[in-house]
Amino acid sequence: PDGWAAFHAAPFGHWPHAPPPTDFLWSKACHTAGEALPVSYSGEDALEMLKAADPSVVDLKLDGASLGEEVLQCFSMSLGENQSLRTLRIEMIGLGPQGAALIAKALESNRSLTSLSLPYTGIGAQGASALAGVLSQGSSLTSLDLSGNTLGPAGVGHIADALANNCELVELSLALNCVGRVGVGKIVDALRSNRNLRLLDLSNNNLRLEGAVLLAEALGDPACPLTSLVLADNKLGAAGIQRLASALVRNATLTSLGLASNGGGDACMESIAEAVVANDWLTSLDLSMNSVSLHGVDQLLVALDHNTTLTEINLRNNVVPIARLLAVEEKISMNRLVRVFTVWCEHLDQDTLSISCVNLNGETKAALEVCTSEAFATTRARIAALLEVDDATLRLALPSGVLVEDPTNKATAA
C-alpha cells in the first residue's frame, strides 16, 4: 500500500537477475506493511467495488481479460468519484492507450490514490502521454509502475516532462521499456529540476556505456534527489560501472544501487572499492551476476575495512568461493550494529567545550564538558561510556555529516 518504500528495505539479493516481477513488488509492499494482500477482481466485479464506495476498500487489484469500452468508461468514472482508494494495480494486457487515457482522466478528480501500477498493459507512448499530463497538473500519485510497456524514448520523454515539472512522484519504475540512450538522456535532464523523485528503476533498458555516462553525470550533481537507483541488465560493462562508481565518490544522497547482470567483471572492482571507501551514504549494493572473481572480491574486502555504512551487498552468481562471500558478510555485519550520533559542540570558554550527542531521531542522549586539550580518543571513550555502547560500533558525525573518526581531519579541526 505504501508503494515501493516498504520494498526498498529488502536487500537487492531478492532481485536475482532482472527487476523483480511486479506482483512480487506488490506482495512485498503489503507484507512489509503488515496488511493483507488485496483480493484480485475481474473487471465487472472491480467496477462494483468502486461503485459501492466502501471506505474500507483502499487497495484494489484488477486482472483478467480486457474490459469492454463501456465497462472501462464506467470504471474510470467510478474511480474519479472514489476518494478512499489508495492503491490500484491493473494487470490487463489489453488495457492499451485508451484505457490509460481513461485512468488519467479519473485521476484528475481522484485525490486519494497514491500508488498506480500498470505493468505490461500495452499503454505505449500514447498512454504515457495521457498519464504524464495529469501528473504535471498535480496528481496525488507518489508511486507509478509502468514497467514492460514498450514506451520507447517518446513515451519516456512524456514522463520525463512530468518529472521536470516537479510532479509529486517519489517512486517510478520504467523497467523494460526500450528507454535507450535518448530516453535516459531525457530522464537525466528532468532530474536537474526535479526535487521529489527518490526511487528510479531503469532495469533492462539497454542503456549501455552511453546511458551510464549520463546517469553518472546526474549522480554527481549535489542536487540529485535520488536515493535508490536500479540498473540491472543494461549491458553497462566494466566501463559503465566505473563511471557510476566514480560518481558515487561525490554523491551524498544515494543509499541503494542495483547493478546486477551488467558484465562488470573484475575490471570494475577497483573503482567500486574506491567508491566504497569514499562514500558514507550507500547502504545497499547489488553486484550479482557480474562475472566477478576472487581478485575482485579481495579488492572489495580491503575497502570494507574503511566503510561504516554498507549493510547489504549482493554478490550472488559470481565466480567467488563461498569463504570469500562469508568474509564480505562478516565485514558488513558490523555496520548493521553501528550506532551513529551527531555531535554538537559549543565553546563555554577558551578551554572548555560543551558536547551534546544526538541520535537519528533528534534526541539528545549524552552531554558532557570537555577540555580542549583532551585527546580525541579519551573523549570518544567517555562518550561511548555515557551512551552505553561498544566503542567499536560507535560513529560520531558533525552536523554537516562528516564522520569524526580522525582527529587530524580538517573538518573535525574546524
Side-chain angles (χ1 to χ4, degrees):
D2 297 321
W4 295 355
F7 176 80
H8 172 60
F12 277 112
H14 292 291
W15 298 23
H17 186 59
T22 47
D23 58 339
F24 177 71
L25 279 172
W26 178 269
S27 301
K28 180 66 180 178
C30 295
H31 174 73
T32 307
E35 299 183 16
L37 296 178
V39 178
S40 296
Y41 294 94
S42 63
E44 294 188 0
D45 289 340
L47 177 58
E48 291 303 316
M49 290 292 295
L50 281 180
K51 283 183 176 180
D54 184 346
S56 67
V57 178
V58 294
D59 309 304
L60 189 60
K61 180 179 178 182
L62 177 59
D63 60 14
S66 178
L67 294 175
E69 182 177 348
E70 183 177 347
V71 174
L72 190 56
Q73 288 180 344
C74 290
F75 182 86
S76 171
M77 185 178 301
S78 298
L79 178 61
E81 295 172 352
N82 185 286
Q83 298 302 323
S84 60
L85 198 67
R86 290 188 294 138
T87 304
L88 175 62
R89 178 179 179 82
I90 298 179
E91 296 180 357
M92 288 184 170
I93 294 175
L95 183 67
Q98 180 186 12
L102 288 170
I103 295 296
K105 183 173 180 59
L107 292 176
E108 292 176 2
S109 52
N110 181 293
R111 306 308 301 171
S112 65
L113 199 69
T114 59
S115 179
L116 176 64
S117 297
L118 302 174
Y120 305 94
T121 49
I123 69 170
Q126 185 180 346
S129 176
L131 290 168
V134 73
L135 287 172
S136 297
Q137 295 169 14
S139 166
S140 58
L141 284 184
T142 58
S143 179
L144 179 63
D145 178 5
L146 297 179
S147 55
N149 274 292
T150 322
L151 301 184
V156 170
H158 295 311
I159 300 299
D161 289 341
L163 291 176
N165 289 329
N166 223 30
C167 68
E168 298 299 316
L169 281 184
V170 176
E171 299 154 355
L172 173 64
S173 174
L174 294 173
L176 281 162
N177 269 299
C178 305
V179 172
R181 182 200 175 285
V182 175
V184 79
K186 294 178 179 180
I187 293 290
V188 167
D189 287 342
L191 289 176
R192 292 191 177 99
S193 56
N194 183 282
R195 294 295 174 265
N196 295 320
L197 193 66
R198 296 293 180 265
L199 187 153
L200 177 62
D201 187 347
L202 292 173
S203 297
N204 234 314
N205 275 301
N206 198 33
L207 302 184
R208 298 182 178 268
L209 173 59
E210 295 86 351
V213 170
L214 291 170
L215 287 166
E217 179 184 341
L219 293 177
D221 183 349
C224 180
L226 295 179
T227 60
S228 183
L229 179 61
V230 190
L231 299 173
D233 286 286
N234 269 302
K235 300 181 176 66
L236 303 180
I241 293 178
Q242 286 167 350
R243 289 297 190 101
L244 292 165
S246 296
L248 285 180
V249 173
R250 306 185 302 277
N251 182 278
T253 56
L254 204 69
T255 60
S256 185
L257 178 61
L259 296 172
S261 190
N262 273 296
D266 287 342
C268 72
M269 292 306 290
E270 182 177 352
S271 297
I272 289 289
E274 290 174 357
V276 165
V277 171
N279 186 287
D280 290 330
W281 295 91
L282 201 68
T283 61
S284 180
L285 178 62
D286 184 2
L287 294 170
S288 60
M289 300 186 72
N290 266 295
S291 301
V292 177
S293 73
L294 184 62
H295 175 65
V297 171
D298 281 346
Q299 290 179 293
L300 179 61
L301 279 168
V302 172
L304 286 173
D305 286 333
H306 307 280
N307 180 280
T308 60
T309 57
L310 274 168
T311 57
E312 298 290 346
I313 300 179
N314 186 2
L315 288 165
R316 295 177 187 175
N317 296 311
N318 284 298
V319 193
V320 182
I322 187 66
R324 284 297 196 277
L325 296 180
L326 292 174
V328 170
E329 175 61 25
E330 182 179 359
K331 294 250 186 181
I332 63 175
S333 65
M334 181 61 71
N335 289 347
R336 299 189 189 113
L337 302 174
V338 163
R339 303 286 299 280
V340 180
F341 292 86
T342 301
V343 177
W344 294 86
C345 302
E346 180 183 358
H347 276 281
L348 297 180
D349 55 47
Q350 187 175 355
D351 301 318
T352 311
L353 282 176
S354 173
I355 296 180
S356 297
C357 298
V358 180
N359 67 11
L360 297 178
N361 293 323
E363 304 166 330
T364 300
K365 291 298 185 180
L368 67 161
E369 292 184 5
V370 177
C371 179
T372 54
S373 62
E374 182 172 290
F376 174 78
T378 302
T379 304
R380 179 188 171 86
R382 290 175 59 193
I383 291 174
L386 286 171
L387 293 171
E388 298 182 342
V389 299
D390 186 343
D391 183 66
T393 65
L394 175 63
R395 299 293 182 270
L396 302 176
L398 296 176
S400 63
V402 176
L403 287 177
V404 187
E405 296 302 322
D406 181 359
T408 63
N409 183 303
K410 292 180 180 179
T412 303

